[in-house]
Amino acid sequence: MSIIYVLLSISVLVAIVFFVAFIISVKRGQYDDTYTPSVRMLFEDELVKEEPLQQDKEENKVNSK
Amino acid sequence: MVNCFHCGDPCADTLIEHKEKSFCCHGCKTVFDILHDSDLGYYYDLDSNPGISPQEIEGKFDFLDNEGIVEKLLEFDNGTTQIASFLIPSIHCSSCIWVLENLNKLDKNVLSSQVNFPEKTVRITFSSEKTTLKKLVLLLSRIGYEPYISLENSEKKEKTVNRTLIYKLGVAGFAFGNVMFLSFPEYFEVEEFWLDQFKNMFRWLMFAFSVPVVFYSGRGYFTSAYKGLRSGILNIDVPIAIGIAVLFLRSTLEIVMDWGTGFFDSLTGLVFFLLLGKFFQQKTYSYLSFERDYKSYFPIAVTRLLKNKNGIVEEEQAEVYKIQKGDRLLIRNNELLPVDAILIKGKALIDYSFVTGEAEPVSKQSGDKLYAGGKQQNGVLEVEVLKPVEQSYLTQLWSNEVFSKDKTGIFQSLTDGISKRFTVAILSIAFISAIIWLVVDPSKAFNVFTAVLIVACPCAIALAAPFTLGNVLRIFGNNKFYLKEASIIEQMAKVDTVVFDKTGTLTTNRKNTITYEGIELSPTEQQLLTSTLRASNHPLSRSLYAILDKNNIQTLDEFEEEVGKGMSASAKNATIKVGSSAFVKENPKHFNTEDISEKQKKTTVHISSNEEYKGRYVFENEYREGVSELFEALRQNKEVIVLSGDNDGERERLESMLPKGTQLIFDQKPENKLDFIEKLQQSGKTVMMIGDGLNDAGALKQSDVGIVISENINVFSPACDGILDASVFKKLMPYIDFSHKGIKIIKWAFLLSLLYNLIGLTFAVTGHLKPVVAAILMPLSSISIVVFTTLATQYASRELRMDINKQN
């Protein structure tokens, strides 16, 4: 049953690792702005749309000539 | 009507068709072109009509040529790379975030830019070799995101975000979880073999986890209790501190003496829940600032005129703080004068509405004294400085002691009120039961004594107010009423006197009602009048011009404007005079001796045509909708006072509009307002001040609850306790009613938590308090208080929401 010492120390160690990670993330200001990242992550879609936009522009150029 | 593709405003006056899209002005079209040409068209796909129409910025940012100023704005500078943060009030949607974070497509020298949406700031890293801060600011302004740079920026202060509470909460939560986990086995089996083998290790681990909770997370309660005791107040933190200390000491004693497991689970849980309550009570609106003073309004730099050796006058952009007495300054149209000065050259038309509350701009002649905070409305001025910015008439107000003292913590909160009786009761119960047990069974006396103190620890009571007020705060916020902190709600419920400012608070900022009195003007006279008004820059001319028909504008043969008097013009043998009564009636043929409007101090513009007096336009302030109803409702149980910095020209109108007995006080300077509030408070009143401008700043600060009315919450308001959106101004009463309900809910929550305490005490007094009972009772009471207050406030807010929707 002395395995319980190992198990306990591992569990406490893991807990402490996460706790330290939490403290560091707070310290770096990761929780200061909780809104903008939620919007920012949706912006990736733009890459798909860029192609037709390029064409639009060229068409406009042709039209204006 | 078509709406602008860029900004969404209706294209009323002008409509520009461009690339099959409609625009309301050239500014909007230009932004569209800039973005479209840089492949940033996605901007318009994210949100519909996201744009902001760019403002005229010609010369506005010239001060950024001054290296001293630029240096103060930079956060980081290593010679090649610079970082600067800008406050951009016009950030409002996801398109804004997107375009600002893609600035490098517009300017290759931008290395990265990051938006903080709640704070409405953008932090830009750029290479300073090929671009400058000024170019960047101009770029931002050109696409409609004009940074707001004020005197406040020149004080480089370290951004200290106070995250202590989060750390404390983190430590407590971490320990709570682990201690719960470690104490779980002993809840059910005490005599089990393996458990017995390892119990010491489990217990000392729990002890180790509890130490930082008591000495770090719980430290605030000990210091607060100590401070309270020293000033003779039994605040709620006293029984809490006793509870924490007793829990810790008894638990330690138990494991040392091997009596039992101790109450480490309850201890950590208690601190965790208490801190959670504190955390919930803090709701910050990071894009609003409640601490602003004149520095947020004043420019960072001003144009100084310097004579060089050859006697030639040169313009220089100088920092406002470096302006000395005797310096010559150049103030352009729409610029704010940051110092007290004497007018040397130019036609001054100064708008003091923000500083003094006077509704109309005043004309000044050269030699007149101008005060800091006025905004020039008419061309360029040259002035000589009398007093530097810190000593000016306006900024002196901030040296009043009211601005240095902290308002919070002075008044006794509801919780503190109950905690006094509570603490006394608990201590007496603890001692009495200990004495009884000493007689009956001395071995149990210590246990009972400590158990009473443990179980009576007023966790639930301490949570009742934070959660109720926190909820009310959020409900207010959702309904456009933003409070600085939760304790304001308790103050609001106590208010018995409401003081209103007039200009900008009871009246709207923009609209004027204009009525014509006199002989009707013929069409030709009308034409001549509009043409004359068109030529003038005076605000009154402009607002009058805006309401008149603009047909057949003719070219004037002659036009002359006399500052502060009026103007005369002629075209096709017809002459017209527009202006003050004295100016228009200079050589009158038709003389009107009795001029009532002059006596009433109303704002009027008189008209004479061909030397014949025709009549006058009377300008009246437009009052906000529902002012009468609001005053009527407030009058039911409160004293209502109007405190205005303006003259008493509107007295009669106000008297007819407001319920009888409303006190009206006029011609109040900012410091008079402050004194007036102070006197009210000395006579035992709890005062709510409702204002809008810098002239109310002292009164707002002095009052128990200072509320600012704001047409646009993105525009800055002076230091206050709360910001009320102007659109919900007339609904002030439901908000006050709701604060009363909040207090009622807190009282019910107190009752509920006392019930839990009674149950706990019966266990404690009879000597049956086992750790598992405490471990169940403590979280149960806390959670049920949280649930009760949340449900109750939500239920109560239904009525508030109904009130608000009904009136919409």
Side-chain angles (χ1 to χ4, degrees), chain A residues 1 4-5 8 15-16 19 22-23 26-27 29 32-33 35-36 39-40 43 46 49-50 54 57 60, chain B residues 37 39 42 45-46 94 97-98 101 105 114-118 163 167 170-171 174 182 194 198 201:
Chain A
M1 267 308 262
I4 203 154
Y5 291 109
L8 257 185
I16 287 175
F19 177 65
F22 169 73
I23 295 293
V26 172
K27 202 163 236 160
D32 290 359
D33 178 8
Y35 181 78
T36 324
V39 179
R40 193 179 293 135
F43 290 157
E46 168 229 351
K49 276 205 148 185
E50 209 160 26
Q54 208 88 32
K57 208 178 131 191
N60 275 331
Chain B
D37 290 346
D39 292 333
Y42 180 56
D45 300 337
L46 274 170
S94 46
I97 301 175
W98 184 78
E101 298 203 335
K105 289 191 182 167
Q114 196 175 18
V115 174
N116 183 329
F117 188 80
R163 304 195 186 100
Y167 293 140
V171 170
F174 165 74
L182 291 168
W194 286 113
F198 291 105
M201 194 178 94

Side-chain angles (χ1 to χ4, degrees), chain B residues 417-704:
Chain B
I418 199 168
S419 79
K420 190 178 162 189
R421 273 166 279 171
F422 183 82
T423 315
V424 172
I426 290 307
L427 284 177
S428 25
I429 291 174
F431 278 110
I432 290 169
S433 48
I435 289 165
I436 292 172
W437 278 101
L438 271 179
V439 179
V440 181
D441 181 0
S443 66
K444 272 192 171 175
F446 171 76
N447 267 354
V448 170
F449 180 70
T450 48
V452 169
L453 292 180
I454 288 169
V455 85
C457 186
C459 182
I461 291 184
L463 287 179
F467 274 96
T468 312
L469 298 179
N471 274 318
V472 173
L473 195 72
R474 283 166 174 77
I475 291 164
F476 277 165
N478 291 339
N479 292 299
K480 296 182 179 174
F481 182 30
Y482 311 92
L483 287 178
K484 186 167 106 186
E485 40 185 36
S487 62
I488 309 289
I489 297 162
E490 273 187 60
Q491 290 285 66
M492 236 172 93
K494 285 188 202 157
V495 164
D496 53 15
T497 308
V498 186
V499 180
F500 287 91
D501 169 50
K502 184 180 76 78
T503 317
T505 305
L506 295 182
T507 65
T508 57
N509 279 342
R510 296 176 208 100
K511 284 178 282 177
N512 266 321
T513 16
I514 305 171
T515 44
Y516 181 73
E517 301 169 359
I519 311 156
E520 208 179 319
L521 299 173
S522 70
T524 34
E525 285 167 338
Q526 282 261 1
Q527 269 179 35
L528 186 57
L529 176 65
T530 21
S531 315
T532 314
L533 290 171
R534 205 171 90 110
S536 164
N537 248 347
H538 195 285
L540 287 181
S541 312
R542 282 195 218 151
S543 34
L544 191 54
Y545 177 71
I547 60 152
L548 295 174
D549 286 335
K550 294 163 202 72
N551 298 327
N552 307 317
I553 301 277
Q554 22 176 235
T555 3
L556 299 168
D557 297 336
E558 230 177 278
F559 175 79
E560 202 183 335
E561 188 168 5
E562 279 185 57
V563 172
K565 289 179 182 164
M567 55 210 168
S568 48
S570 66
K572 293 179 197 156
N573 301 327
T575 59
I576 192 167
K577 274 189 165 187
V578 185
S580 71
S581 129
F583 174 76
V584 170
K585 295 170 188 166
E586 222 168 51
N587 38 11
K589 284 181 184 166
H590 176 91
F591 200 78
N592 191 357
T593 38
E594 278 296 302
D595 197 334
I596 316 151
S597 67
E598 292 300 303
K599 268 188 200 156
Q600 288 175 338
K601 294 183 192 163
K602 276 186 186 157
T603 312
T604 48
V605 169
H606 297 257
I607 315 284
S608 76
S609 169
N610 295 326
E611 302 292 310
E612 190 182 337
Y613 184 76
K614 286 290 181 191
R616 60 171 188 259
Y617 283 94
V618 181
F619 289 69
E620 277 178 329
N621 287 325
E622 183 152 316
Y623 287 87
R624 284 187 203 283
E625 235 182 291
V627 168
S628 307
E629 290 84 352
L630 174 65
F631 272 60
E632 206 67 63
L634 287 171
R635 281 285 295 174
Q636 303 293 323
N637 49 13
K638 287 177 183 57
E639 201 178 323
V640 191
I641 300 167
V642 175
L643 197 61
S644 175
D646 210 351
N647 61 43
D648 61 354
E650 294 263 325
R651 180 184 282 276
E652 273 178 35
R653 187 138 171 253
L654 273 170
E655 270 169 358
S656 66
M657 200 166 66
L658 303 179
K660 276 216 171 88
T662 310
Q663 218 178 321
L664 302 171
I665 302 162
F666 293 95
D667 294 312
Q668 295 290 304
K669 292 204 181 81
E671 61 269 27
N672 297 143
K673 289 190 176 181
L674 200 162
D675 292 342
F676 185 82
I677 302 283
E678 202 172 359
K679 274 201 195 100
L680 278 177
Q681 285 172 326
Q682 276 161 5
S683 64
K685 305 268 199 234
T686 308
V687 185
M688 177 191 262
M689 171 78 203
I690 299 171
D692 74 311
L694 276 185
N695 59 323
D696 305 316
L700 286 168
K701 187 83 184 170
Q702 176 66 42
S703 62
D704 298 277

Side-chain angles (χ1 to χ4, degrees), chain A residues 14-26:
Chain A
V14 170
I16 287 175
V17 165
F18 278 102
F19 177 65
V20 169
F22 169 73
I23 295 293
I24 290 174
S25 63
V26 172

